[in-house]
């Protein structure tokens, strides 16, 4: 798409001349004619190409003068105009679809740096299962509160089939949990004195993985 300005003198005169045809001139073009009929000679006339044809006509000054106010008004109002590309069709690209698991992971990731506090469920501090249950609640899903209950309540998932948003439990007895975010990583609230952060899921011995 290009921006065009009505500044060139000859172009402006042609525009005015074209408008003049619309104001008061009728041009008759015989279907079998090989050349456009000539208008009577005038002191000054502007040749105007008839769109879509090989014909041009001379527009007398009187008609140009009559059309001038209309063109001036349009130019003053618009200043410039945008010419759409030929054949272009405007459309809005569809918004990308974000999975529920990704929204869960994003919620947990938004809390990176929040302090660990035993028994805390957010929104400013968390323990491990407090973070997972809080993140799930952000998409309207209620899951068990404790790490052991989370590990035993969801649908078991093989580690080679993990999806973003799945819960991974760690250590024997599922004493710790985190949310899988992809690329072999989890976001979790580690322990007292630490903060919510991202680490490799292999950093701790894995117990199991579940999906809600």
């Amino acid at each position: 798409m290009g921006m065009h300005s009505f500044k060139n003198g000859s172009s402006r005169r042609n525009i005015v001349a074209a408008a003049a045809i619309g104001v008061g001139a009728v041009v008759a073009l015989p279907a079998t004619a090989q050349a456009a009929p000539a208008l009577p000679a005038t002191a000054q006339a502007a040749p105007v190409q008839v769109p879509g044809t090989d014909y041009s006509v001379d527009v007398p000054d009187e008609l140009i003068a009559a059309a001038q106010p209309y063109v001036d008004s349009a130019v003053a109002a618009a200043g410039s105009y945008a010419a759409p590309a030929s054949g272009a069709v405007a459309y809005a690209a569809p918004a990308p679809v974000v999975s529920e698991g990704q929204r869960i992971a994003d919620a947990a990731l938004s809390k990176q740096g929040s302090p660990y506090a035993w028994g805390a469920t957010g929104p400013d501090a968390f323990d491990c299962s407090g973070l997972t249950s809080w993140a799930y609640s952000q998409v309207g899903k209620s899951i068990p509160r404790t790490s052991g209950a989370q590990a035993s309540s969801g649908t078991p998932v093989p580690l080679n089939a993990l999806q973003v948003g799945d819960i991974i439990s760690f250590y024997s007895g599922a004493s710790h949990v985190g949310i899988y975010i992809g690329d072999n990583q989890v976001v979790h609230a580690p322990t007292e004195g630490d903060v919510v952060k991202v680490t490799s899921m292999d950093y701790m011995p894995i117990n199991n993985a579940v999906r809600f």
Side-chain angles (χ1 to χ4, degrees), residues 26-207:
V26 177
V27 180
L29 298 176
T32 58
Q34 299 300 311
L39 294 179
T42 61
Q44 186 174 5
V48 177
Q49 190 76 27
V50 179
T53 75
D54 294 329
Y55 302 116
S56 65
V57 294
D58 289 336
V59 180
D61 284 348
E62 291 82 356
L63 290 180
I64 292 176
Q68 186 71 54
Y70 298 97
V71 175
D72 288 343
S73 175
V75 170
S80 61
Y81 71 96
S86 177
V89 177
Y91 69 97
V97 177
V98 179
S99 70
E100 182 179 73
Q102 185 63 61
R103 290 189 288 131
I104 292 168
D106 288 343
L109 287 167
S110 73
K111 293 301 179 178
Q112 289 183 87
S114 298
Y116 177 97
W118 187 85
T121 58
D124 301 316
F126 303 87
D127 65 11
C128 66
S129 56
L131 176 66
T132 53
S133 58
W134 178 86
Y136 269 74
S137 73
Q138 301 311 295
V139 299
K141 299 189 77 168
S142 177
I143 64 174
R145 168 65 182 88
T146 65
S147 58
Q150 290 175 10
S152 61
S153 298
T155 301
V157 178
L159 296 182
N160 62 1
L162 284 170
Q163 293 181 8
V164 173
D166 289 344
I167 289 179
I168 301 177
S169 69
F170 301 91
Y171 304 107
S172 176
S175 60
H176 186 66
V177 288
I179 295 175
Y180 184 65
I181 62 171
D183 296 327
N184 211 50
Q185 294 182 314
V186 293
V187 57
H188 64 132
T191 188
E192 200 72 45
D194 211 335
V195 297
V196 174
K197 62 185 180 182
V198 172
T199 62
S200 168
M201 70 180 199
D202 298 323
Y203 180 74
M204 301 163 282
I206 295 173
N207 177 66

